[in-house]
Amino acid sequence: MDERATETTPTSRVEPPQPRRAATIGGGLALGALSALVGIAPWLATGARLPLQNLWRRETLPDAMPVALLPVSQYDSTRILVLLLVGGVLAGLAARLLRRRFPTTDWATAVGILAVQGLATIQAFAVVADGLGIAAHDADPRARLYFGGMLGGTIVSIALAQALFWLISRRPVAPAALGLALAGVPVATWLLVTVLFVMGPAGPPLVVGELSRWLPAVIVGAALGWCGVVPLRRLGVWAIGLLVLLVTPAVLTASSYALGMRVLDGDLREMADAAVRIFPQALVVGVAPTVLALLIAAAVTAVRWAMARGRTKAPAGGRAEA
């Protein structure tokens, strides 16, 4: 009796063997780590010399600055953000596209991203702490404020990378489309940052700057078109995606402007005022790309609707002829 029961037990109830489970976990860790490395690769390819620091305790030439796995500097705050965000975006896309052929465990992938980005953050800020005198407890208040602000912003960037990964890797279309729409500006900025790091002081061609302005609209429009409008609650994804596309470049521009004003010398109120003054001007620049994204999304939605309608009519027409 026991033997027959054992023989007729459905194989679907048998737990997967441990080697297969270990492979999915290991694959997830590797995928997350590799994606995070690709995200920061443009900076690593430059040699990863820490940018010059205004509050450095000793005079140091640019080529003599220590190696840091992140470009810690108030002038590179936007670059740090996109280098980290793209790691989460790539991991989410890879996990989603390779799920059938290369199954991985999502939590393991998230841990892989966090491990690489966490280690890079620890190494870079340890170098900065030593150079600013924070490690020796003799740094001035401005250095402590600078260090704490940059570290806090980097930690927030790591958390946002995790959020984008979990959104994009989700099986339902709506959250994945939302994640891709939110990734439009970071991905385009990452491509521009890559060109800037490669070109060096020569700077990128003008066409690169124009592409970085319009590419987010293409990404967001394609993501929203893939999302569609049925059910109607998906229009919420459209609203969020278009709003983020409009606001994000202005926020990045205003914050970079305020953080890059050396004359403000760490005056937080003056920095905030500077950001508020520049924000409306930067916001106007994002109107045209947002309109373009809406048009692309509508066009993609219409094409998908027409193709779906054609597929449903084809079998009916075939039966009528028969």
Side-chain angles (χ1 to χ4, degrees), residues 184 188 207-221 245 285-293 296:
V207 66
V208 175
E210 284 300 308
L211 286 175
S212 68
R213 181 189 176 193
W214 297 104
L215 182 58
V218 176
I219 296 173
V220 173
L245 176 61
V285 178
V287 173
T290 303
V291 173
L292 176 61
I296 292 174

Side-chain angles (χ1 to χ4, degrees), residues 90-253:
L90 292 176
L93 276 173
R96 185 176 187 86
L97 296 176
L98 301 177
R99 183 165 280 132
R100 293 183 179 179
R101 296 184 178 181
F102 183 62
T104 58
T105 305
D106 285 347
W107 67 261
T109 305
V111 170
I113 301 169
L114 184 60
V116 171
Q117 294 183 346
L119 288 173
T121 300
I122 292 171
Q123 188 276 337
F125 279 90
V127 170
V128 174
D130 178 62
L132 296 179
I134 293 176
H137 304 287
D138 61 352
D140 64 42
R142 292 183 305 162
R144 295 182 185 276
L145 177 63
Y146 164 76
F147 181 85
M150 292 300 301
L151 179 58
T154 302
I155 292 173
V156 170
S157 300
I158 292 174
L160 291 175
Q162 289 286 317
L164 286 180
F165 163 71
W166 285 106
L167 280 173
I168 296 172
S169 63
R170 292 282 301 276
R171 291 180 184 273
V173 171
L178 177 60
L180 290 173
L182 297 178
V185 174
V187 169
T189 307
W190 181 83
L191 293 174
L192 177 61
V193 167
T194 301
V195 175
L196 287 172
F197 282 148
V198 171
M199 297 296 295
L206 293 177
V207 66
V208 175
E210 284 300 308
L211 286 175
S212 68
R213 181 189 176 193
W214 297 104
L215 182 58
V218 176
I219 296 173
V220 173
L224 297 181
W226 173 55
C227 178
V229 296
V230 180
L232 288 179
R233 62 175 178 270
R234 291 190 179 181
L235 288 174
V237 175
W238 283 52
I240 296 173
L242 293 173
L243 180 62
V244 169
L245 176 61
L246 174 65
V247 173
T248 300
V251 171
L252 295 178
T253 299

